[in-house]
Amino acid sequence: ASANTMELLRNGRPRVVITGLGAVTALGPVKTLWDSLKAGRSGIRRIETIPIEHVPVQIGGEVRDFNPEQYIDRKEARRMGRASQFAVAGAAMAIEDAGFTREQIGEIGERVGVVIGSSLGPHEMAEQSTFKYKTSGFRKPNPLSLINALPNMPAHYVSRFLQAVGPLSAPSTACASGTQSVGEASELIKNGRCDVVITGGVESVLQDYAIAGFEAMDALATGFNDRPELASRPFDKNRSGFVFSEGCGIVVLESLAHALKRGARIYAEVLGHASSSDAYHIAALDPEGKGAVRCMRWALEDAHLSPDSINYINAHGTSTPQNDAMETLAIKRVFGEQAYNIPVSSTKSMLGHALGGAGAIEIIACVMSLVEQVLHPTINYETPDPDCDLDYVPNVARDVKNLKYVLSNSFGLGGQNASIVLGAI
């Protein structure tokens, strides 16, 4: 439809569209990220930015060659945690991609929201400050270190960087944070509170103590220090755990009316979302996938779509034995026999698991799939698992036709589930 004939409302509420993309990942910013995903190229490598020899698992989805001073004043950048730096960089890329300047965002500031989620935020700021305090004879600590470690600091810094003075939120729902943030951001527009929302998720806790902690839980893939690109193998029978990662995905949401008025390029539409709780266990997944089932069903209901409308699912797909079997079961319970006809792939096969940043990065992958009509593969898929028997787009990207509606899943520690439905425009 032409801009003149496009309906501005969907089900009586403003339509929400995506007009800008920004990312900081182990595979680079959006263009190199997407090109690498299509090529099946892994960003998982031996970790270089921190001493790691004393930890059994020495690989991760590490962001390299990141210079925060490209986006942030040097003095301020030194005070900020890495997650906050990522978020500001991702936001700067996203608004530029959307055709905004910082000044333009500031001019409409009261109608611009920021919703950026994170599991732990700039957690290393607290860890470093605590260590320094306890090993320096209990001298006066840095007065801002604890504040700069709060999970809402990435959202704060983006809000301040852009002078976006509308609603400000920082969902912290573990690995569901990024997806839930984008979903909740869309509500600010659907409810008429905002015209523009800068939203997404970020994580940067690629620290030795975090890796050691997850390794102690038997959650990480082990034995791949010399072949890191093979470690993440979602849905493969020989998967052994996830790969710890870091990164940030930021998207610009606008009401369709606002985007059309300024002649913006529109990537895709946010149609519906949902979150749910397993109410089962702090770390273990409900083996029946009941929370995941509820979440997917509610997201479809919110989008006013039937299950047979979905053309592709970007899976949570962590490469742990429990998650991949549970998610497969949940997809089959939601979609029935149609599940076998829906391609499913895992971005984490190439990026590892960026916790609160993962869902937002995966939303960007979904957007690019809708734009280019291409599905990126699940790499390292070699040995079929009877418990994982869907079409996982193994190893090679797939050109598709009529890709219209996609679903993306994120499931987190504490039984947090989030799903979002995007549509071609």
Side-chain angles (χ1 to χ4, degrees), residues 11 70 106 113 138 142 182 188 205 237 240 255 265 274 309 321 330 366 378 392 400 408 425:
N11 306 307
Q70 283 184 260
F138 298 99
N142 180 335
V182 178
L188 291 172
V205 215
K237 185 176 183 180
S240 60
S255 69
R265 174 199 48 214
S309 301
C366 288
T378 303
Y392 302 113
V400 288
S408 189
I425 196 80

Side-chain angles (χ1 to χ4, degrees), residues 55 89 102 138 142 176 179 211 225 246 280 306 341 346 376-377 381:
V55 180
R102 286 173 63 182
F138 298 99
N142 180 335
T179 299
I211 295 169
N225 288 344
E246 62 178 351
Y280 179 76
S306 62
N341 301 320
S346 171
H376 75 65
Y381 185 83

Side-chain angles (χ1 to χ4, degrees), residues 162-208:
L162 298 176
Q163 287 299 292
V165 296
L168 175 62
S169 181
S172 185
T173 52
C175 314
S177 299
T179 299
Q180 188 162 331
S181 292
V182 178
E184 293 185 3
S186 72
E187 293 296 327
L188 291 172
I189 295 173
K190 289 181 180 180
N191 292 335
R193 183 63 190 82
C194 292
D195 297 318
V196 179
V197 186
I198 316 302
T199 182
V202 62
E203 208 73 65
S204 180
V205 215
L206 204 62
Q207 301 289 327
D208 55 357

Side-chain angles (χ1 to χ4, degrees), residues 17-272:
V17 293
I18 297 172
T19 58
L21 307 174
V24 178
T25 76
L27 288 169
V30 172
K31 186 181 186 309
T32 55
L33 165 67
W34 179 238
D35 287 346
S36 296
L37 291 176
K38 287 188 293 184
R41 191 157 50 242
S42 176
I44 297 166
R45 296 167 288 198
R46 192 176 183 89
I47 293 169
E48 293 183 351
T49 57
I50 59 168
I52 200 71
E53 295 75 19
H54 55 291
V55 180
V57 176
Q58 299 169 2
I59 62 172
E62 181 179 51
V63 174
R64 295 184 185 172
D65 305 318
F66 174 70
N67 179 11
E69 293 172 31
Q70 283 184 260
Y71 309 95
I72 309 162
D73 174 77
R74 182 182 181 185
K75 188 174 180 181
E76 181 156 45
R78 288 180 63 191
R79 293 195 196 106
M80 296 164 62
R82 190 164 159 93
S84 295
Q85 295 173 351
F86 282 2
V88 170
M93 294 179 210
I95 66 159
E96 181 181 5
D97 186 51
F100 282 118
T101 63
R102 286 173 63 182
E103 291 71 27
Q104 286 171 325
I105 294 289
E107 286 167 9
I108 53 173
E110 290 189 5
R111 299 287 298 171
V112 182
V114 174
V115 183
I116 296 175
S118 184
S119 297
L120 290 164
H123 190 270
E124 84 283 2
M125 300 292 284
E127 188 269 340
Q128 291 166 6
S129 179
T130 302
F131 179 80
K132 190 172 182 181
Y133 178 65
K134 289 187 173 183
T135 56
S136 64
F138 298 99
R139 294 194 189 94
K140 185 178 178 181
N142 180 335
L144 295 179
S145 59
L146 193 60
I147 296 170
N148 266 318
L150 295 171
N152 67 312
M153 282 302 113
H156 155 74
Y157 277 111
V158 168
S159 171
R160 204 180 92 193
F161 173 75
L162 298 176
Q163 287 299 292
V165 296
L168 175 62
S169 181
S172 185
T173 52
C175 314
S177 299
T179 299
Q180 188 162 331
S181 292
V182 178
E184 293 185 3
S186 72
E187 293 296 327
L188 291 172
I189 295 173
K190 289 181 180 180
N191 292 335
R193 183 63 190 82
C194 292
D195 297 318
V196 179
V197 186
I198 316 302
T199 182
V202 62
E203 208 73 65
S204 180
V205 215
L206 204 62
Q207 301 289 327
D208 55 357
Y209 59 87
I211 295 169
F214 278 113
E215 195 271 336
M217 288 171 60
D218 293 325
L220 298 184
T222 57
F224 291 93
N225 288 344
D226 296 324
R227 43 187 187 142
E229 68 284 350
L230 301 179
S232 185
R233 38 201 323 110
F235 305 106
D236 185 89
K237 185 176 183 180
N238 296 317
R239 64 192 183 277
S240 60
F242 76 88
V243 175
F244 205 54
S245 182
E246 62 178 351
C248 175
I250 302 289
V251 301
V252 176
L253 301 187
E254 291 184 68
S255 69
L256 177 60
H258 193 274
L260 291 176
K261 185 176 179 181
R262 67 182 191 89
R265 174 199 48 214
I266 297 170
Y267 284 110
E269 183 172 4
V270 179
L271 296 173

Side-chain angles (χ1 to χ4, degrees), residues 272-291:
H273 71 101
S275 63
S276 74
S277 171
D278 283 356
Y280 179 76
H281 188 274
I282 185 173
L285 297 160
D286 176 357
E288 298 297 310
K290 293 174 186 174

